[in-house]
Structure formats: C-alpha cells, structure tokens
Amino acid sequence: MSLKQKAMLERAKMEAQRMGNDYVGSEHLLLALLHQNEGCLAKGLAAQGIYYFQVRSDAEILFGMKEQPTQQLQITAIADTLLAQCEQLQQERPQQSFEDCMGEVLLSHPSSVAMELLRRYDVCLEELHVAGKKRGGIAALNALEALHCLNFATRQGFVEREEQLELLVEILLRREKANPLLVGEAGVGKSALVEALAQRIEAGEIAALKDHYIYALDINTLVAGTRYRGDFEEKLKKLIAAFRSHPNAILFIDELHQVIGAGRSEGSIDVASVLKPCLARRQLRCIGATTLEEYERHIEKDPALQRRFQCVRLMEPDPQQTRRILMARCEEYAGFHQVEIAGELIPTMIACADYYLPFGHFPDKALDVLDLSCAYARAHAQDKVDETCVREVIASLSQIPVDVEQRTRQTLEVLTQRCPDLPLRQLTEALQGLGEHRRQKTLLGCWALSGEPRQCRHMLQLLAEEFFHQEDCLTLDMNVYPFLCGEVLQRLYRQPYTILCIEHFDDALEELRSLLLRAIREGAFWGEGRQVSLRHTLVVFLQDSEDLCGELSALVGSHFQLEGSAPCLLS
C-alpha cells in the first residue's frame, strides 16, 4: 500500500470515528477524497457546487450513530475492494495521480453507499465518470501551477476557422519554426481556436497530433512569489525542462507580448530570453496569440523572437459567419440558463451588437449579447429570450437607449409644449432619421441651427435631455479648437451617444475647417492615439447666419432656423 493510500485510509478512519461508526465504508473514502480537494472527482463535484463540508454534514445525518461509542474499526468488503482496485489502476497508469485513480474507482461502483450519497445531489455520475477517464495529460506538467491543460475543457460548438485550424496543424508539424503565432483583434477567437485544436486532438480527430497535449501558460502565476533574484529563473527553467522531456507537449502563451520583460529585474532574465534559444533548437513547440497592435509594438521590435514564429492572421468574421457561430452555441447557452432561444432572434442580436457596440469585435461581442440576454431572461423568471431581453442588454452594454419611437414621441411632446409653432411633421422626420433602422456606418446625423444663440442652445438642451438622455450636449468652439479637442474627444469616446455642437465654424482657420469636415465625412475623429467614432453622434452646426457655405450644405441634412419663439424647418 502506497503512502497516499495509507494517508487516505487514516483520513477515512477519522471520518468514521467522527460519525460514530465502527466500520470504514465507501462513504468514508469519499469524504477523505473530498477533504483533500484534489483529483477530477473532487474538482468535478466542486464545479457543481458540492463540497466536503456539505457532504460530511449530510452523511452524519444519514449514517451517523454518535450515541454509540466507537469500537475497533473494521474495513468493509467494498472499501477493501476500492483500495485494491485503486492500487492496481495506479500501477497500470503511473502518469495518473492517486486521487484521479481513486475517483475513477469510486465512480465504477454505482451501487456503493458513496455513490448513493452523491445521487441525493442530482449528480450525473455517468458524466463524472467520462470526464474522469478523459482526465490525464502529463503528470510532470500537471503538477506545475502555472500550466493548465486545454485538452479536457468542455467542448464547445465550433464552426468557421477551418482553414486557419488546418494551417495551425501544418505549422506544428514543421521541422523548423514549428511555432504558430495567432494575430488578430481582441475578441475574434484566437484562444477559442487553440482550445478547439486541443479538444479535437483529445477526441482523436487529428491523427498527426495523436497523444499530444496543449498547456496554457499563466504568466502571472509564473511570476508570482519571485521576490528574490534567481527565483523566477528557477521556476522558468523547471518549466522549460518539463517541456523538453515531453516532446508531445505544446505550450500556449496567450498575450505573447507580455512575455517580453516578464519576470525581469536588475541583473536577471525575462521569459522571452529563455524561450528564444529553445524555440530555435526545437526543444519545445509554442503557440502564441496577440493583437496586431501589440505585435507591431513589441514582437516586431524583437527580430530574434519574431523569426521563431510563423504568423497566422485571424480576421473578424462577417455577420453571416457570426450567425453560424451563434447558432452552433445556442443550445449550449440555452441549456446552461434553462431558457429557450428563438432562432430568429440571432440576426437581431448580431445587428444590434454591430450597430451599438462598434468598438468590440465579432464573434465575442455577439456571444456577450447572447449570454447576457439569456441571463436577463433567467433573472426575470422568463422561460424564453425575447427581443425585449436583447434590447435591455444592448442598452446596458452601450449606455445607449434603444426605444427610438418612444423617445421620439416624448421629445416631440416636450418641444411642442415649449415651442407651440413647431412644424411637427418635418421635425418628426428629422428625429426618425436618427433611428437605428438606418444603420448608419459613418454619422448619426448632421444638422444646422440658425437664429438667436440662446434659443438655439435651449432647443439643443431639450433634445439632449429628452431624446439622448444626456444632461447636456458637447460643445466644440472652433476659435479654440486645439485646446478643447482633446477633452471633447475623450468625452465622445466615453459617451458616444450625444449631440456635438460646433460653434464659430465660419471663423475658424481653413486647415481646422478641412480637418473637421473630413472627420464628419469619414464618421470618426483621430486623436489622442485612438479613433473616436461618430456613428452615434448628432453633429449640429450653430450658425449666426441663415446661409450655409458650400462646404456645409453638402453635409447638413436638416437646417433649422429659429425666429422668435417659432422655429421652422428649412429643407
């Protein structure tokens, strides 16, 4: 009997004594295993919210005899069989941990008291048994805290990217530079592609990589606790040595740019410095992932690291591809949230995510909308996800109200009360032009407002409050453009759904006027090192005169002239 078996038996005896039993049965072995909180069975139960103290308390109620004094403990026949089978299984699978072997043996006896106890929690023992048999990997790498094996993650519906997946496999099979580097914007599915590869390897669908394992590296865990010089180098060398000893192990580093400088202190080395010679000599294979911006900023500036990898570019999927991805994942999310998702809602989710979340990327932002819509329905005790759920989630994510028709009616009522002579038909058309049905790609709208400045600002204030649900509108004075631009762009970036009021356009320098007009035509400002979209911004030129210059007349869709208390609309 191994030391671990002896330790588990002693723990099982302690559990039996606590319960006042005079025997050691399968339920006591189960409690001993859960107390260690190691192995697939314990972790699988924990993932379903079932823990040691909960099971112990229920076992004491069901099987405890605390009034009876504990005598000499006898091991039951089933417990003796479990221990013997565990010892035999560990001899057959030396790479598998003792805890995993004991968990698998326990699950193979469904009629035992331990399994009857677990059934009280509505646990599917068959699923735990399948997961436990799959759980394997490489013991030396499993023991490293900074590594996580991707082969055994829950398989997800994965569509598209077949061409990139094949290229990934081909690069891993190269004699030299067998290191793919996935480059793409955040949210396009770089990590999901690697996880899909690992799960297909485990399922035996990629014969060329049979018995291979992909391990994800957590840089933060690797660096944690390395306060003294030499600590980090020791952990890193231990990790590299483990991969050298197992050629069928593949290292995955998400956010590869983080390894440049990671762990570096005065007089020490970083992860990249250790990786480069290992990658060059094919002592390990590595899959990296990073964004295009970080690749250009960090990886390209280190030619020695760059030439160790072969780039695989991942583009953002189009709406049709995103639709197929969401359809493949619908059943998974519906099952998790226990709600029904109508297939016709998927295009609505994608269209709303595209329009209201311009800074995210497909398919990630569409999956966020799908997941949160299901969560919204579940939180409000709805059995089915409807369009209301989607719109509420979109409004929460984007901070943009989506009830255009209601806001239009409310805005018109307020403006009618304040300005009785307002031409409702023309203003209604102008406001409806700001609705989401237009799906503008560049600019929400461009108006001009002429008349007494105080009245013009009053009208804009009412529009900001009633239609845009903002306290006020943004103002950009062209006479002091360079000094206000940075602040205005920052506010636009944080709250894009608003009114941008342009003052003194006619008095501005020709260069500044051209710069502003180009931004309006393109629907985006460039400044502060980033792009600020105007897709959800109503640009209003506050004019002193009724006539518009030729530059503006081509852009302005509606021109309001305020005379006294009666504003009128000019086409």
Side-chain angles (χ1 to χ4, degrees):
M1 184 178 290
S2 67
L3 293 176
K4 285 201 170 185
Q5 279 186 311
K6 290 179 181 179
M8 176 165 283
L9 183 57
E10 290 300 317
R11 182 70 206 183
K13 289 179 180 179
M14 290 176 60
E15 298 292 347
Q17 289 172 342
R18 186 198 304 273
M19 295 167 60
N21 300 141
D22 57 359
Y23 65 91
V24 175
S26 62
E27 64 271 32
H28 304 118
L29 291 174
L30 173 63
L31 288 172
L33 183 62
L34 293 180
H35 181 268
Q36 292 180 350
N37 196 28
E38 295 180 3
C40 300
L41 180 59
K43 292 179 179 178
L45 291 173
Q48 300 184 41
I50 302 170
Y51 298 93
Y52 163 73
F53 288 105
Q54 179 184 1
V55 178
R56 189 187 78 179
S57 177
D58 292 341
E60 288 175 349
I61 295 173
L62 291 171
F63 310 114
M65 299 181 295
K66 293 188 177 180
E67 300 297 328
Q68 177 178 335
T70 304
Q71 301 176 1
Q72 186 175 2
L73 298 176
Q74 299 293 327
I75 300 178
T76 63
I78 183 65
D80 195 43
T81 300
L82 290 171
L83 291 169
Q85 289 182 354
C86 179
E87 184 175 8
Q88 181 180 357
L89 187 61
Q90 200 170 17
Q91 291 176 355
E92 296 173 358
R93 305 178 188 171
Q95 80 281 1
Q96 194 167 345
S97 68
F98 166 75
E99 291 79 13
D100 283 347
C101 291
M102 177 55 73
E104 186 172 335
V105 169
L106 275 169
L107 289 168
S108 65
H109 290 77
S111 60
S112 65
V113 176
M115 295 301 103
E116 292 292 341
L117 179 60
L118 288 183
R119 285 195 187 92
R120 296 177 62 86
Y121 303 101
D122 293 328
V123 174
C124 181
L125 300 181
E126 289 74 17
E127 289 185 5
L128 286 173
H129 185 64
V130 171
K133 290 186 71 176
K134 280 188 175 183
R135 195 71 61 176
I138 301 170
L141 297 177
N142 291 339
L144 297 178
E145 189 179 2
L147 295 177
H148 170 65
C149 189
L150 300 180
N151 290 49
F152 312 110
T154 303
R155 187 158 186 174
Q156 302 173 346
F158 188 83
V159 293
E160 310 298 333
R161 310 293 194 193
E162 293 298 329
E163 182 180 344
Q164 288 84 358
L165 195 63
E166 291 180 8
L167 181 57
L168 207 59
V169 173
E170 292 169 4
I171 296 172
L172 289 170
L173 295 174
R174 288 184 56 171
R175 182 178 182 274
E176 297 177 352
K177 291 186 180 181
N179 309 298
L181 176 57
L182 302 177
V183 180
E185 299 297 340
V188 299
K190 300 185 295 295
S191 298
L193 183 65
V194 180
E195 291 171 3
L197 172 63
Q199 290 155 25
R200 289 191 181 186
I201 291 173
E202 185 61 24
E205 298 175 18
I206 303 178
L209 294 175
K210 182 182 178 182
D211 297 329
H212 280 64
Y213 299 93
I214 299 179
Y215 282 86
L217 174 65
D218 185 348
I219 294 291
N220 294 327
T221 303
L222 188 66
V223 176
T226 56
R227 294 187 300 169
Y228 301 103
R229 183 181 300 178
D231 289 354
F232 178 75
E233 286 87 340
E234 184 178 349
K235 291 176 67 174
L236 188 56
K237 288 177 181 177
K238 182 179 179 182
L239 184 145
I240 297 298
F243 275 92
R244 283 177 177 173
S245 303
H246 298 89
N248 59 337
I250 301 168
L251 176 65
F252 171 52
I253 305 178
D254 198 5
E255 308 293 341
L256 181 67
H257 59 274
Q258 291 185 356
V259 309
I260 300 177
R264 179 182 293 169
S265 59
E266 185 179 354
S268 66
I269 57 176
D270 60 356
V271 178
S273 301
V274 177
L275 281 179
K276 282 183 280 192
C278 298
L279 296 175
R281 299 165 190 160
R282 210 182 187 277
Q283 294 174 337
L284 68 85
R285 282 175 290 176
C286 177
I287 302 174
T290 188
T291 64
L292 180 60
E293 181 181 357
E294 299 294 348
Y295 176 79
E296 294 173 347
R297 182 181 300 174
H298 297 287
I299 309 299
E300 281 189 341
K301 293 181 179 179
D302 188 346
L305 181 64
Q306 180 193 22
R307 66 172 178 267
R308 304 289 188 264
F309 289 92
Q310 179 177 336
C311 283
V312 177
R313 183 73 186 274
L314 258 67
M315 305 299 292
E316 183 179 15
D318 60 37
Q320 290 302 321
Q321 293 172 322
T322 304
R323 180 180 180 178
R324 290 194 288 270
I325 293 173
L326 261 64
M327 292 298 293
R329 301 288 299 274
C330 259
E331 185 177 351
E332 175 189 339
Y333 284 100
F336 178 84
H337 292 284
Q338 296 182 348
V339 295
E340 183 181 347
I341 306 170
E344 56 268 19
L345 270 183
I346 299 300
T348 301
M349 293 180 182
I350 295 172
C352 288
D354 183 37
Y355 182 72
Y356 287 104
L357 306 173
F359 298 108
H361 295 92
F362 286 133
D364 186 64
K365 62 182 179 183
L367 289 171
D368 282 344
V369 174
L370 173 62
D371 193 8
L372 286 169
S373 298
C374 294
Y376 181 92
R378 182 180 177 186
H380 291 78
Q382 296 178 217
D383 297 328
K384 189 173 182 179
V385 177
D386 56 18
E387 191 167 343
T388 302
C389 301
V390 177
R391 290 183 172 275
E392 289 296 330
V393 165
I394 287 290
S396 176
L397 287 173
S398 64
Q399 298 299 308
I400 298 175
V402 295
D403 51 340
V404 179
E405 295 180 1
Q406 180 182 347
R407 286 185 289 122
T408 300
R409 289 194 301 269
Q410 181 179 346
T411 303
L412 289 172
E413 289 175 5
V414 173
L415 290 176
T416 302
Q417 293 173 2
R418 304 288 182 91
C419 307
D421 299 325
L422 189 70
L424 294 180
R425 183 179 63 82
Q426 293 90 338
L427 185 58
T428 300
E429 292 177 358
L431 288 176
Q432 288 176 344
L434 307 180
E436 78 171 89
H437 65 277
R438 292 186 63 185
R439 302 282 184 217
Q440 297 89 343
K441 293 294 183 182
T442 56
L443 192 68
L444 182 64
C446 186
W447 293 0
L449 212 56
S450 303
E452 203 276 320
R454 183 181 59 84
Q455 290 183 340
C456 292
R457 292 192 179 93
H458 181 61
M459 180 178 175
L460 291 178
Q461 181 69 26
L462 291 176
L463 280 173
E465 293 175 356
E466 302 300 332
F467 192 84
F468 290 89
H469 293 182
Q470 300 293 320
E471 294 181 0
D472 55 11
C473 58
L474 289 177
T475 300
L476 183 58
D477 190 339
M478 294 300 291
N479 286 336
V480 287
Y481 177 86
F483 305 101
L484 290 178
C485 188
E487 180 183 349
V488 170
L489 288 181
Q490 188 175 28
R491 290 186 60 185
L492 271 177
Y493 182 79
R494 293 177 179 174
Q495 183 55 59
Y497 195 67
T498 189
I499 299 174
L500 176 61
C501 179
I502 309 294
E503 293 186 349
H504 303 119
F505 176 79
D506 295 333
D507 301 332
L509 297 174
E510 181 64 29
E511 182 181 354
L512 296 181
R513 291 170 57 174
S514 299
L515 185 65
L516 179 65
L517 292 175
R518 187 179 66 182
I520 293 174
R521 282 193 295 268
E522 296 177 354
F525 275 106
W526 285 93
E528 304 294 322
R530 62 188 173 195
Q531 185 183 34
V532 179
S533 174
L534 296 175
R535 180 186 291 189
H536 302 290
T537 303
L538 172 61
V539 177
V540 179
F541 287 91
L542 204 59
Q543 292 289 111
D544 295 330
S545 63
E546 299 178 9
D547 297 328
L548 299 179
C549 66
E551 298 169 310
L552 283 184
S553 59
L555 293 176
V556 171
S558 299
H559 182 192
F560 292 88
Q561 181 186 358
L562 303 188
E563 296 179 352
S565 61
C568 63
L569 185 66
L570 305 177
S571 357

